[in-house]
Amino acid sequence: ARLVSLAATSLIAHQNKALARGVDGAARVLEAIQWENEVSFTRDDFRRLDESDDGGFYSEPRFVAHVDEAAVAATQRYYEGLFSS
């Protein structure tokens, strides 16, 4: 958990420095992609294994944490800093 917290804190610090310099890494990556002129996927490529209605799955609340407490805390600190400006 401590390692995840340190990694999240380091990532946040790196992102803040990049934003302060006006560098958007995702935009640079997307600009460098050579996109195909035609789409090579078919509708079948996006078909789900289970095509039944999703309503049954979502009918009961599911309280699941997909990250540990340290990652939640790091994310909270990041957004607190972001919105306090």
Side-chain angles (χ1 to χ4, degrees):
R2 175 97 175 113
L3 181 59
V4 171
S5 178
L6 290 173
T9 302
S10 176
L11 175 63
I12 291 167
H14 178 72
Q15 288 173 333
N16 287 340
K17 288 177 187 175
L19 289 172
R21 292 191 316 262
V23 176
D24 184 351
R28 285 196 327 244
V29 168
L30 292 173
E31 288 171 359
I33 294 175
Q34 298 295 316
W35 299 99
E36 295 180 20
N37 291 329
E38 295 184 26
V39 178
S40 59
F41 296 108
T42 67
R43 286 188 179 271
D44 286 338
D45 292 325
F46 296 96
R47 195 168 310 275
R48 299 181 306 173
L49 294 176
D50 179 1
E51 289 287 340
S52 63
D53 181 31
D54 290 339
F57 178 84
Y58 292 108
S59 63
E60 287 186 40
R62 297 180 186 330
F63 300 105
V64 178
H66 294 283
V67 295
D68 64 16
E69 291 178 20
V72 170
T75 303
Q76 287 174 331
R77 286 191 305 271
Y78 172 75
Y79 281 110
E80 286 169 358
L82 184 67
F83 292 115
S84 67
S85 311

